[in-house]
Amino acid sequence: MIETLSIFLLLMAVIWILPAGGWAIAGTVLAFGWMGINLAENYRGQLFEKLGLCPRPESYRQPVFWHWFFSSFAVILILAWIFNPDVFTKPDLLIRFHDNLRNCLLWVSLQLLILLGYFANRLKDALKKDWLAALVAALIFGLIHLPNPILTPATALLAFTVSYVFLKSPNLFLPIIAMAILRTELKILILQDLIDHGMRIGPGF
């Protein structure tokens, strides 16, 4: 648990304290290297399974996950229709959605590899219970997105569900696709028009 908390604090320092450039890069490399070493040491012989890179076929058939995904997609649509209805009249809406979805896949993959592959797994080792590990992982993920008033609660809620489902049956590919779609939907339909800083976090918000 101390190891996990230390890496979280290091990531927060990279976002909030370390100056952009060399120090921030060094802090990021240190955090990623530390996570990689711990994963390799603790999951020797089962690393790819723990990271969700070798999912079992049944992991694609999880009702909780699909209910969560389609419900979240619908909620974002409803919020956009209430608070930003003009967005649906823009002629380039689908083009922007496609371009943003393609561009964010790599970033979402990295985020979820850290959230699920490292934090969810290591917290499960320390806390033993899936729901508790998922809750703490979600809080960490939400705090990393401070002070964005929409991303912070949204990412925490999304992270709890994907972490809980992941711990039950590790599959990294499903949450990457789902989170990329929901992130793009949230950005294109709501954040780009209603918040000047969009997807920014940290002191640059």
Side-chain angles (χ1 to χ4, degrees), residues 149-181:
I150 294 181
L151 278 184
T152 299
T155 52
L157 289 171
L158 296 176
F160 174 76
T161 304
V162 296
S163 297
Y164 183 77
V165 172
F166 178 86
L167 291 172
K168 291 294 185 183
S169 187
N171 183 334
L172 191 63
F173 304 112
L174 273 186
I176 285 175
I177 295 171
M179 288 284 274
I181 292 173

PDB file of all heavy atoms in Angstrom, residues 149-181:
ATOM      1  N   PRO A 149     -13.815  20.511 -13.153  1.00  0.00           N
ATOM      2  CA  PRO A 149     -15.059  20.212 -12.427  1.00  0.00           C
ATOM      3  C   PRO A 149     -15.917  19.131 -13.070  1.00  0.00           C
ATOM      4  O   PRO A 149     -16.814  18.591 -12.415  1.00  0.00           O
ATOM      5  CB  PRO A 149     -15.788  21.559 -12.419  1.00  0.00           C
ATOM      6  CG  PRO A 149     -15.300  22.255 -13.647  1.00  0.00           C
ATOM      7  CD  PRO A 149     -13.864  21.837 -13.796  1.00  0.00           C
ATOM      8  N   ILE A 150     -15.676  18.826 -14.325  1.00  0.00           N
ATOM      9  CA  ILE A 150     -16.447  17.767 -14.987  1.00  0.00           C
ATOM     10  C   ILE A 150     -15.636  16.479 -15.045  1.00  0.00           C
ATOM     11  O   ILE A 150     -16.129  15.400 -14.714  1.00  0.00           O
ATOM     12  CB  ILE A 150     -16.882  18.199 -16.397  1.00  0.00           C
ATOM     13  CG1 ILE A 150     -17.876  19.358 -16.306  1.00  0.00           C
ATOM     14  CG2 ILE A 150     -17.517  17.031 -17.156  1.00  0.00           C
ATOM     15  CD1 ILE A 150     -18.395  19.851 -17.635  1.00  0.00           C
ATOM     16  N   LEU A 151     -14.369  16.581 -15.445  1.00  0.00           N
ATOM     17  CA  LEU A 151     -13.541  15.384 -15.568  1.00  0.00           C
ATOM     18  C   LEU A 151     -13.298  14.693 -14.232  1.00  0.00           C
ATOM     19  O   LEU A 151     -13.260  13.468 -14.171  1.00  0.00           O
ATOM     20  CB  LEU A 151     -12.191  15.742 -16.194  1.00  0.00           C
ATOM     21  CG  LEU A 151     -12.127  15.856 -17.715  1.00  0.00           C
ATOM     22  CD1 LEU A 151     -10.706  16.107 -18.170  1.00  0.00           C
ATOM     23  CD2 LEU A 151     -12.675  14.608 -18.384  1.00  0.00           C
ATOM     24  N   THR A 152     -13.132  15.467 -13.158  1.00  0.00           N
ATOM     25  CA  THR A 152     -12.812  14.848 -11.859  1.00  0.00           C
ATOM     26  C   THR A 152     -13.891  13.865 -11.404  1.00  0.00           C
ATOM     27  O   THR A 152     -13.597  12.691 -11.157  1.00  0.00           O
ATOM     28  CB  THR A 152     -12.565  15.928 -10.795  1.00  0.00           C
ATOM     29  OG1 THR A 152     -11.459  16.745 -11.197  1.00  0.00           O
ATOM     30  CG2 THR A 152     -12.257  15.300  -9.440  1.00  0.00           C
ATOM     31  N   PRO A 153     -15.171  14.287 -11.280  1.00  0.00           N
ATOM     32  CA  PRO A 153     -16.198  13.314 -10.880  1.00  0.00           C
ATOM     33  C   PRO A 153     -16.485  12.272 -11.959  1.00  0.00           C
ATOM     34  O   PRO A 153     -16.736  11.104 -11.656  1.00  0.00           O
ATOM     35  CB  PRO A 153     -17.428  14.174 -10.588  1.00  0.00           C
ATOM     36  CG  PRO A 153     -17.227  15.419 -11.386  1.00  0.00           C
ATOM     37  CD  PRO A 153     -15.750  15.644 -11.406  1.00  0.00           C
ATOM     38  N   ALA A 154     -16.440  12.700 -13.238  1.00  0.00           N
ATOM     39  CA  ALA A 154     -16.764  11.767 -14.320  1.00  0.00           C
ATOM     40  C   ALA A 154     -15.752  10.638 -14.389  1.00  0.00           C
ATOM     41  O   ALA A 154     -16.118   9.459 -14.510  1.00  0.00           O
ATOM     42  CB  ALA A 154     -16.818  12.512 -15.656  1.00  0.00           C
ATOM     43  N   THR A 155     -14.460  10.972 -14.311  1.00  0.00           N
ATOM     44  CA  THR A 155     -13.430   9.927 -14.394  1.00  0.00           C
ATOM     45  C   THR A 155     -13.458   9.024 -13.164  1.00  0.00           C
ATOM     46  O   THR A 155     -13.192   7.825 -13.277  1.00  0.00           O
ATOM     47  CB  THR A 155     -12.028  10.543 -14.545  1.00  0.00           C
ATOM     48  OG1 THR A 155     -11.809  11.522 -13.513  1.00  0.00           O
ATOM     49  CG2 THR A 155     -11.867  11.203 -15.895  1.00  0.00           C
ATOM     50  N   ALA A 156     -13.789   9.580 -12.003  1.00  0.00           N
ATOM     51  CA  ALA A 156     -13.869   8.752 -10.796  1.00  0.00           C
ATOM     52  C   ALA A 156     -14.990   7.726 -10.927  1.00  0.00           C
ATOM     53  O   ALA A 156     -14.815   6.544 -10.606  1.00  0.00           O
ATOM     54  CB  ALA A 156     -14.080   9.629  -9.565  1.00  0.00           C
ATOM     55  N   LEU A 157     -16.156   8.171 -11.407  1.00  0.00           N
ATOM     56  CA  LEU A 157     -17.283   7.250 -11.575  1.00  0.00           C
ATOM     57  C   LEU A 157     -16.983   6.180 -12.618  1.00  0.00           C
ATOM     58  O   LEU A 157     -17.259   4.990 -12.416  1.00  0.00           O
ATOM     59  CB  LEU A 157     -18.535   8.036 -11.967  1.00  0.00           C
ATOM     60  CG  LEU A 157     -19.154   8.909 -10.871  1.00  0.00           C
ATOM     61  CD1 LEU A 157     -20.249   9.795 -11.458  1.00  0.00           C
ATOM     62  CD2 LEU A 157     -19.714   8.044  -9.754  1.00  0.00           C
ATOM     63  N   LEU A 158     -16.410   6.602 -13.736  1.00  0.00           N
ATOM     64  CA  LEU A 158     -16.070   5.646 -14.787  1.00  0.00           C
ATOM     65  C   LEU A 158     -15.011   4.666 -14.303  1.00  0.00           C
ATOM     66  O   LEU A 158     -15.076   3.465 -14.574  1.00  0.00           O
ATOM     67  CB  LEU A 158     -15.581   6.383 -16.030  1.00  0.00           C
ATOM     68  CG  LEU A 158     -16.595   7.289 -16.737  1.00  0.00           C
ATOM     69  CD1 LEU A 158     -15.935   8.023 -17.900  1.00  0.00           C
ATOM     70  CD2 LEU A 158     -17.794   6.505 -17.233  1.00  0.00           C
ATOM     71  N   ALA A 159     -14.024   5.193 -13.571  1.00  0.00           N
ATOM     72  CA  ALA A 159     -12.911   4.358 -13.107  1.00  0.00           C
ATOM     73  C   ALA A 159     -13.375   3.293 -12.118  1.00  0.00           C
ATOM     74  O   ALA A 159     -12.849   2.179 -12.112  1.00  0.00           O
ATOM     75  CB  ALA A 159     -11.828   5.224 -12.470  1.00  0.00           C
ATOM     76  N   PHE A 160     -14.359   3.614 -11.273  1.00  0.00           N
ATOM     77  CA  PHE A 160     -14.837   2.616 -10.318  1.00  0.00           C
ATOM     78  C   PHE A 160     -15.428   1.412 -11.038  1.00  0.00           C
ATOM     79  O   PHE A 160     -15.114   0.265 -10.727  1.00  0.00           O
ATOM     80  CB  PHE A 160     -15.885   3.213  -9.374  1.00  0.00           C
ATOM     81  CG  PHE A 160     -16.499   2.177  -8.471  1.00  0.00           C
ATOM     82  CD1 PHE A 160     -15.785   1.687  -7.378  1.00  0.00           C
ATOM     83  CD2 PHE A 160     -17.762   1.668  -8.717  1.00  0.00           C
ATOM     84  CE1 PHE A 160     -16.336   0.709  -6.552  1.00  0.00           C
ATOM     85  CE2 PHE A 160     -18.317   0.694  -7.906  1.00  0.00           C
ATOM     86  CZ  PHE A 160     -17.596   0.218  -6.816  1.00  0.00           C
ATOM     87  N   THR A 161     -16.270   1.680 -12.033  1.00  0.00           N
ATOM     88  CA  THR A 161     -16.916   0.575 -12.747  1.00  0.00           C
ATOM     89  C   THR A 161     -15.907  -0.265 -13.512  1.00  0.00           C
ATOM     90  O   THR A 161     -15.919  -1.499 -13.415  1.00  0.00           O
ATOM     91  CB  THR A 161     -17.982   1.119 -13.714  1.00  0.00           C
ATOM     92  OG1 THR A 161     -18.908   1.919 -12.989  1.00  0.00           O
ATOM     93  CG2 THR A 161     -18.726  -0.017 -14.383  1.00  0.00           C
ATOM     94  N   VAL A 162     -15.030   0.392 -14.289  1.00  0.00           N
ATOM     95  CA  VAL A 162     -14.091  -0.396 -15.092  1.00  0.00           C
ATOM     96  C   VAL A 162     -13.096  -1.140 -14.205  1.00  0.00           C
ATOM     97  O   VAL A 162     -12.676  -2.262 -14.532  1.00  0.00           O
ATOM     98  CB  VAL A 162     -13.348   0.473 -16.131  1.00  0.00           C
ATOM     99  CG1 VAL A 162     -14.316   1.052 -17.141  1.00  0.00           C
ATOM    100  CG2 VAL A 162     -12.533   1.566 -15.483  1.00  0.00           C
ATOM    101  N   SER A 163     -12.729  -0.547 -13.063  1.00  0.00           N
ATOM    102  CA  SER A 163     -11.800  -1.228 -12.150  1.00  0.00           C
ATOM    103  C   SER A 163     -12.453  -2.462 -11.527  1.00  0.00           C
ATOM    104  O   SER A 163     -11.828  -3.527 -11.433  1.00  0.00           O
ATOM    105  CB  SER A 163     -11.337  -0.269 -11.043  1.00  0.00           C
ATOM    106  OG  SER A 163     -10.613   0.811 -11.570  1.00  0.00           O
ATOM    107  N   TYR A 164     -13.693  -2.313 -11.106  1.00  0.00           N
ATOM    108  CA  TYR A 164     -14.398  -3.437 -10.481  1.00  0.00           C
ATOM    109  C   TYR A 164     -14.578  -4.584 -11.466  1.00  0.00           C
ATOM    110  O   TYR A 164     -14.312  -5.746 -11.144  1.00  0.00           O
ATOM    111  CB  TYR A 164     -15.756  -2.962  -9.955  1.00  0.00           C
ATOM    112  CG  TYR A 164     -16.527  -4.040  -9.233  1.00  0.00           C
ATOM    113  CD1 TYR A 164     -16.184  -4.406  -7.936  1.00  0.00           C
ATOM    114  CD2 TYR A 164     -17.581  -4.703  -9.851  1.00  0.00           C
ATOM    115  CE1 TYR A 164     -16.888  -5.394  -7.269  1.00  0.00           C
ATOM    116  CE2 TYR A 164     -18.283  -5.694  -9.197  1.00  0.00           C
ATOM    117  CZ  TYR A 164     -17.933  -6.041  -7.907  1.00  0.00           C
ATOM    118  OH  TYR A 164     -18.615  -7.030  -7.262  1.00  0.00           O
ATOM    119  N   VAL A 165     -15.027  -4.265 -12.684  1.00  0.00           N
ATOM    120  CA  VAL A 165     -15.228  -5.297 -13.701  1.00  0.00           C
ATOM    121  C   VAL A 165     -13.895  -5.921 -14.086  1.00  0.00           C
ATOM    122  O   VAL A 165     -13.793  -7.146 -14.270  1.00  0.00           O
ATOM    123  CB  VAL A 165     -15.931  -4.698 -14.940  1.00  0.00           C
ATOM    124  CG1 VAL A 165     -15.967  -5.702 -16.076  1.00  0.00           C
ATOM    125  CG2 VAL A 165     -17.351  -4.258 -14.578  1.00  0.00           C
ATOM    126  N   PHE A 166     -12.851  -5.103 -14.199  1.00  0.00           N
ATOM    127  CA  PHE A 166     -11.525  -5.602 -14.567  1.00  0.00           C
ATOM    128  C   PHE A 166     -11.005  -6.595 -13.530  1.00  0.00           C
ATOM    129  O   PHE A 166     -10.439  -7.640 -13.882  1.00  0.00           O
ATOM    130  CB  PHE A 166     -10.555  -4.429 -14.696  1.00  0.00           C
ATOM    131  CG  PHE A 166      -9.139  -4.825 -15.029  1.00  0.00           C
ATOM    132  CD1 PHE A 166      -8.743  -5.010 -16.356  1.00  0.00           C
ATOM    133  CD2 PHE A 166      -8.196  -5.013 -14.030  1.00  0.00           C
ATOM    134  CE1 PHE A 166      -7.445  -5.374 -16.659  1.00  0.00           C
ATOM    135  CE2 PHE A 166      -6.895  -5.375 -14.327  1.00  0.00           C
ATOM    136  CZ  PHE A 166      -6.519  -5.556 -15.647  1.00  0.00           C
ATOM    137  N   LEU A 167     -11.181  -6.287 -12.257  1.00  0.00           N
ATOM    138  CA  LEU A 167     -10.688  -7.177 -11.208  1.00  0.00           C
ATOM    139  C   LEU A 167     -11.445  -8.502 -11.187  1.00  0.00           C
ATOM    140  O   LEU A 167     -10.896  -9.526 -10.786  1.00  0.00           O
ATOM    141  CB  LEU A 167     -10.779  -6.485  -9.843  1.00  0.00           C
ATOM    142  CG  LEU A 167      -9.812  -5.319  -9.633  1.00  0.00           C
ATOM    143  CD1 LEU A 167     -10.121  -4.583  -8.342  1.00  0.00           C
ATOM    144  CD2 LEU A 167      -8.364  -5.823  -9.624  1.00  0.00           C
ATOM    145  N   LYS A 168     -12.694  -8.485 -11.610  1.00  0.00           N
ATOM    146  CA  LYS A 168     -13.470  -9.720 -11.680  1.00  0.00           C
ATOM    147  C   LYS A 168     -13.000 -10.608 -12.828  1.00  0.00           C
ATOM    148  O   LYS A 168     -12.949 -11.836 -12.701  1.00  0.00           O
ATOM    149  CB  LYS A 168     -14.956  -9.398 -11.855  1.00  0.00           C
ATOM    150  CG  LYS A 168     -15.620  -8.765 -10.649  1.00  0.00           C
ATOM    151  CD  LYS A 168     -15.679  -9.726  -9.481  1.00  0.00           C
ATOM    152  CE  LYS A 168     -16.437  -9.145  -8.311  1.00  0.00           C
ATOM    153  NZ  LYS A 168     -16.435 -10.058  -7.124  1.00  0.00           N
ATOM    154  N   SER A 169     -12.666  -9.984 -13.961  1.00  0.00           N
ATOM    155  CA  SER A 169     -12.225 -10.740 -15.133  1.00  0.00           C
ATOM    156  C   SER A 169     -11.358  -9.826 -15.996  1.00  0.00           C
ATOM    157  O   SER A 169     -11.881  -9.061 -16.810  1.00  0.00           O
ATOM    158  CB  SER A 169     -13.442 -11.232 -15.924  1.00  0.00           C
ATOM    159  OG  SER A 169     -13.037 -12.087 -16.972  1.00  0.00           O
ATOM    160  N   PRO A 170     -10.032  -9.855 -15.796  1.00  0.00           N
ATOM    161  CA  PRO A 170      -9.135  -8.897 -16.452  1.00  0.00           C
ATOM    162  C   PRO A 170      -9.235  -8.897 -17.976  1.00  0.00           C
ATOM    163  O   PRO A 170      -9.050  -9.919 -18.630  1.00  0.00           O
ATOM    164  CB  PRO A 170      -7.746  -9.371 -16.009  1.00  0.00           C
ATOM    165  CG  PRO A 170      -7.974 -10.084 -14.722  1.00  0.00           C
ATOM    166  CD  PRO A 170      -9.309 -10.760 -14.885  1.00  0.00           C
ATOM    167  N   ASN A 171      -9.575  -7.736 -18.503  1.00  0.00           N
ATOM    168  CA  ASN A 171      -9.641  -7.523 -19.952  1.00  0.00           C
ATOM    169  C   ASN A 171      -9.375  -6.040 -20.180  1.00  0.00           C
ATOM    170  O   ASN A 171     -10.216  -5.199 -19.858  1.00  0.00           O
ATOM    171  CB  ASN A 171     -11.016  -7.918 -20.492  1.00  0.00           C
ATOM    172  CG  ASN A 171     -11.104  -7.790 -22.013  1.00  0.00           C
ATOM    173  OD1 ASN A 171     -10.400  -7.005 -22.636  1.00  0.00           O
ATOM    174  ND2 ASN A 171     -11.993  -8.568 -22.616  1.00  0.00           N
ATOM    175  N   LEU A 172      -8.218  -5.710 -20.733  1.00  0.00           N
ATOM    176  CA  LEU A 172      -7.853  -4.310 -20.927  1.00  0.00           C
ATOM    177  C   LEU A 172      -8.473  -3.710 -22.183  1.00  0.00           C
ATOM    178  O   LEU A 172      -8.660  -2.499 -22.273  1.00  0.00           O
ATOM    179  CB  LEU A 172      -6.324  -4.178 -20.993  1.00  0.00           C
ATOM    180  CG  LEU A 172      -5.746  -2.767 -20.931  1.00  0.00           C
ATOM    181  CD1 LEU A 172      -6.076  -2.093 -19.600  1.00  0.00           C
ATOM    182  CD2 LEU A 172      -4.237  -2.789 -21.143  1.00  0.00           C
ATOM    183  N   PHE A 173      -8.810  -4.549 -23.143  1.00  0.00           N
ATOM    184  CA  PHE A 173      -9.262  -4.046 -24.445  1.00  0.00           C
ATOM    185  C   PHE A 173     -10.660  -3.434 -24.395  1.00  0.00           C
ATOM    186  O   PHE A 173     -10.906  -2.388 -24.995  1.00  0.00           O
ATOM    187  CB  PHE A 173      -9.201  -5.168 -25.490  1.00  0.00           C
ATOM    188  CG  PHE A 173      -7.841  -5.786 -25.597  1.00  0.00           C
ATOM    189  CD1 PHE A 173      -7.617  -7.100 -25.188  1.00  0.00           C
ATOM    190  CD2 PHE A 173      -6.769  -5.054 -26.075  1.00  0.00           C
ATOM    191  CE1 PHE A 173      -6.355  -7.663 -25.276  1.00  0.00           C
ATOM    192  CE2 PHE A 173      -5.501  -5.606 -26.175  1.00  0.00           C
ATOM    193  CZ  PHE A 173      -5.288  -6.921 -25.770  1.00  0.00           C
ATOM    194  N   LEU A 174     -11.598  -4.084 -23.680  1.00  0.00           N
ATOM    195  CA  LEU A 174     -12.950  -3.553 -23.591  1.00  0.00           C
ATOM    196  C   LEU A 174     -12.985  -2.158 -22.959  1.00  0.00           C
ATOM    197  O   LEU A 174     -13.596  -1.244 -23.520  1.00  0.00           O
ATOM    198  CB  LEU A 174     -13.843  -4.508 -22.799  1.00  0.00           C
ATOM    199  CG  LEU A 174     -14.537  -5.630 -23.569  1.00  0.00           C
ATOM    200  CD1 LEU A 174     -15.478  -6.383 -22.655  1.00  0.00           C
ATOM    201  CD2 LEU A 174     -15.294  -5.089 -24.771  1.00  0.00           C
ATOM    202  N   PRO A 175     -12.378  -1.953 -21.778  1.00  0.00           N
ATOM    203  CA  PRO A 175     -12.427  -0.609 -21.198  1.00  0.00           C
ATOM    204  C   PRO A 175     -11.715   0.446 -22.027  1.00  0.00           C
ATOM    205  O   PRO A 175     -12.120   1.602 -22.027  1.00  0.00           O
ATOM    206  CB  PRO A 175     -11.764  -0.779 -19.820  1.00  0.00           C
ATOM    207  CG  PRO A 175     -11.048  -2.066 -19.872  1.00  0.00           C
ATOM    208  CD  PRO A 175     -11.773  -2.925 -20.850  1.00  0.00           C
ATOM    209  N   ILE A 176     -10.660   0.067 -22.761  1.00  0.00           N
ATOM    210  CA  ILE A 176      -9.984   1.046 -23.624  1.00  0.00           C
ATOM    211  C   ILE A 176     -10.946   1.558 -24.685  1.00  0.00           C
ATOM    212  O   ILE A 176     -11.083   2.778 -24.894  1.00  0.00           O
ATOM    213  CB  ILE A 176      -8.737   0.426 -24.282  1.00  0.00           C
ATOM    214  CG1 ILE A 176      -7.599   0.300 -23.264  1.00  0.00           C
ATOM    215  CG2 ILE A 176      -8.282   1.274 -25.473  1.00  0.00           C
ATOM    216  CD1 ILE A 176      -6.375  -0.414 -23.794  1.00  0.00           C
ATOM    217  N   ILE A 177     -11.645   0.653 -25.349  1.00  0.00           N
ATOM    218  CA  ILE A 177     -12.593   1.056 -26.391  1.00  0.00           C
ATOM    219  C   ILE A 177     -13.733   1.875 -25.787  1.00  0.00           C
ATOM    220  O   ILE A 177     -14.111   2.933 -26.307  1.00  0.00           O
ATOM    221  CB  ILE A 177     -13.140  -0.182 -27.115  1.00  0.00           C
ATOM    222  CG1 ILE A 177     -12.007  -0.894 -27.875  1.00  0.00           C
ATOM    223  CG2 ILE A 177     -14.258   0.202 -28.080  1.00  0.00           C
ATOM    224  CD1 ILE A 177     -12.389  -2.240 -28.436  1.00  0.00           C
ATOM    225  N   ALA A 178     -14.284   1.394 -24.658  1.00  0.00           N
ATOM    226  CA  ALA A 178     -15.416   2.083 -24.030  1.00  0.00           C
ATOM    227  C   ALA A 178     -15.017   3.476 -23.541  1.00  0.00           C
ATOM    228  O   ALA A 178     -15.727   4.461 -23.791  1.00  0.00           O
ATOM    229  CB  ALA A 178     -15.947   1.252 -22.871  1.00  0.00           C
ATOM    230  N   MET A 179     -13.887   3.574 -22.848  1.00  0.00           N
ATOM    231  CA  MET A 179     -13.460   4.867 -22.307  1.00  0.00           C
ATOM    232  C   MET A 179     -13.099   5.833 -23.419  1.00  0.00           C
ATOM    233  O   MET A 179     -13.331   7.042 -23.302  1.00  0.00           O
ATOM    234  CB  MET A 179     -12.286   4.667 -21.356  1.00  0.00           C
ATOM    235  CG  MET A 179     -12.635   4.018 -20.044  1.00  0.00           C
ATOM    236  SD  MET A 179     -13.472   5.132 -18.891  1.00  0.00           S
ATOM    237  CE  MET A 179     -12.068   5.907 -18.100  1.00  0.00           C
ATOM    238  N   ALA A 180     -12.514   5.343 -24.496  1.00  0.00           N
ATOM    239  CA  ALA A 180     -12.179   6.220 -25.622  1.00  0.00           C
ATOM    240  C   ALA A 180     -13.449   6.809 -26.229  1.00  0.00           C
ATOM    241  O   ALA A 180     -13.508   8.005 -26.549  1.00  0.00           O
ATOM    242  CB  ALA A 180     -11.387   5.454 -26.669  1.00  0.00           C
ATOM    243  N   ILE A 181     -14.478   5.982 -26.382  1.00  0.00           N
ATOM    244  CA  ILE A 181     -15.745   6.460 -26.939  1.00  0.00           C
ATOM    245  C   ILE A 181     -16.406   7.469 -25.996  1.00  0.00           C
ATOM    246  O   ILE A 181     -16.841   8.555 -26.419  1.00  0.00           O
ATOM    247  CB  ILE A 181     -16.690   5.278 -27.220  1.00  0.00           C
ATOM    248  CG1 ILE A 181     -16.143   4.420 -28.361  1.00  0.00           C
ATOM    249  CG2 ILE A 181     -18.104   5.783 -27.551  1.00  0.00           C
ATOM    250  CD1 ILE A 181     -16.923   3.148 -28.599  1.00  0.00           C
TER     251      ILE A 181
END
